[in-house]
Amino acid sequence: MHKVGGKQRLRFFADNPSNTIPTAIVIGLRGVIVEGEGVVRKLRFETQEGRSHPGLIIDGQHRMRGLEAVDPNTIIPVVGLIEASDLEMAFQFLVINNKSAKVPPDHLRALALNYADDQLETRLKSARLALNANLGSVGVLDEDPDSPFRGMVAWPNNPPEQRIVVPAAIEAMASEAKSLGFGELEDLDSLNAFLIAMWTVIKEEWADLFVANSKLLSKVGMTCMTQFVCSTIKTWARNPRLRDQVDPGDPDKVRDVTKDVLATLDPQFFEAEWASTSYDTRAGRDLIMADLEALSFNISSNEPWHEGLKVISRTWLQQRLSESGGAPAPE
């Protein structure tokens, strides 16, 4: 059933007295008293001001709001999970809302982070659902005091004006870091320390780009920037003369390498208008990576930073060069 808000439900119930919702409201109940014997019994519970209510609606919040607006005394069918644990209610919520009427994936991510992997992940696998293997990095990078992304993840519990980084962006860059193949990044703590060290330097050097709607902090921007730094680390690790300078397990060396990489780039690449509005495809990411390589070569060779870049909008570049009195960009 497609989920709609309480106001739409109100209109549905009010338009015709015969309108009803045959599906039950799913609730979790705790601290209830079961009275009677036999097949039919009564459940009794008390509510007190200032204390947690004994019931939690797992599925059907919008239907309940619509019914309450029409007539709070309406009798409705209920499926009750008696004395259900928080884990059980979270599992039921994830399954119901991912199997039938999907809720935003980031809401599911935020809920899942409240439970240990060995508790919830096993249950979800039995329901043929799975969370991203790098979800743990999202929670750490949003909450760790040293994280450059602290409080910036687009979770429902973060203030709307701070929701700048989508969880999928952190999952993607964690995947890129893992693809290095270094044993130092096999455990989650080391992986997160690696990402925090790298992106702390990027935030220090390019603070103006840590804002809403920044191309750098988009999913494709964070993925490609992480991939570019990681590819440099991997290249240096194969070079006998540079090998001692890299160690993914040493945050200090990660910061040093990242700073060296940024010295060969220009933040204008992420400030510029791009020729396309979407590069979050394999082909699009390849174009950005090729441009980062070209940009790094341009800066290292004292060439104009924009020389030969394919992603930058030519119209934007012509206007920028004209405003600065520079030579027009070649067609």
Side-chain angles (χ1 to χ4, degrees):
M1 179 181 294
H2 179 63
K3 284 190 181 297
V4 295
K7 290 183 179 179
Q8 289 95 324
R9 289 296 188 197
L10 169 59
R11 289 197 296 269
F12 173 77
F13 292 125
D15 285 345
N16 191 319
S18 299
N19 286 351
T20 186
I21 299 296
T23 53
I25 307 296
V26 182
I27 61 175
L29 290 171
R30 287 194 292 222
V32 299
I33 299 173
V34 181
E35 297 180 342
E37 300 290 339
V39 177
V40 180
R41 303 187 187 186
K42 291 183 178 180
L43 298 179
R44 182 168 62 85
F45 54 85
E46 297 179 357
T47 60
Q48 295 183 14
E49 189 70 27
R51 296 184 62 180
S52 299
H53 290 183
L56 176 68
I57 300 176
I58 297 172
D59 183 59
Q61 294 92 336
H62 297 104
R63 280 167 279 165
M64 288 289 288
R65 288 175 181 171
L67 287 166
E68 182 182 25
V70 175
D71 183 358
N73 296 315
T74 303
I75 297 176
I76 58 173
V78 168
V79 172
L81 305 178
I82 309 301
E83 302 301 336
S85 65
D86 286 343
L87 175 63
E88 181 63 30
M89 288 192 282
F91 171 76
Q92 296 297 336
F93 174 84
L94 290 171
V95 171
I96 292 171
N97 288 285
N98 203 60
K99 289 288 189 180
S100 55
K102 289 182 179 292
V103 298
D106 290 346
H107 289 220
L108 301 182
R109 288 182 171 101
L111 175 61
L113 278 175
N114 291 317
Y115 301 92
D117 290 344
D118 58 349
Q119 290 181 318
L120 189 57
E121 185 69 16
T122 302
R123 292 291 306 277
L124 291 176
K125 285 180 179 178
S126 69
R128 291 178 173 81
L129 295 176
L131 300 171
N132 190 293
N134 300 311
L135 179 61
S137 292
V138 183
V140 172
L141 268 63
D142 182 55
E143 298 176 358
D144 192 294
D146 296 325
S147 171
F149 303 108
R150 187 182 186 190
M152 296 175 62
V153 176
W155 289 137
N157 52 322
N158 277 338
E161 67 276 8
Q162 294 179 204
R163 300 173 191 172
I164 295 175
V165 178
V166 297
I170 295 179
E171 291 173 347
M173 72 176 192
S175 178
E176 287 296 334
K178 281 184 179 179
S179 69
L180 279 173
F182 286 109
E184 294 91 338
L185 302 182
E186 288 182 356
D187 68 276
L188 185 62
D189 289 342
S190 298
L191 174 64
N192 293 335
F194 173 83
L195 294 173
I196 289 174
M198 176 194 303
W199 279 90
T200 295
V201 173
I202 297 173
K203 186 174 186 179
E204 291 171 352
E205 298 289 325
W206 293 352
D208 291 344
L209 294 178
F210 274 68
V211 294
N213 301 317
S214 166
K215 291 182 178 67
L216 176 65
L217 298 188
S218 66
K219 180 171 177 282
V220 68
M222 291 176 63
T223 303
C224 290
M225 193 64 199
T226 301
Q227 183 180 349
F228 190 74
V229 176
C230 287
S231 64
T232 300
I233 291 176
K234 199 162 189 175
T235 299
W236 286 17
R238 293 194 296 263
N239 188 323
R241 297 182 179 181
L242 300 173
R243 189 175 299 155
D244 292 340
Q245 299 183 38
V246 298
D247 180 359
D250 185 339
D252 289 334
K253 289 189 176 181
V254 173
R255 283 190 284 267
D256 290 341
V257 172
T258 304
K259 188 170 292 188
D260 289 341
V261 171
L262 292 185
T264 70
L265 299 177
D266 194 309
Q268 290 185 83
F269 178 76
F270 293 101
E271 297 169 348
E273 289 184 12
W274 287 357
S276 173
T277 57
S278 177
Y279 284 96
D280 194 17
T281 63
R282 171 52 62 188
R285 291 190 292 272
D286 288 344
L287 283 173
I288 293 176
M289 289 301 297
D291 268 15
L292 288 174
E293 290 281 357
L295 171 60
S296 180
F297 180 82
N298 290 340
I299 299 297
S300 300
S301 304
N302 292 319
E303 299 287 344
W305 69 271
H306 54 77
E307 192 71 34
L309 303 189
K310 307 297 185 184
V311 170
I312 303 298
S313 165
R314 307 310 294 175
T315 302
W316 177 90
L317 184 57
Q318 291 281 7
Q319 182 178 352
R320 176 59 64 92
L321 293 175
S322 175
E323 291 173 351
S324 62
E331 293 295 337

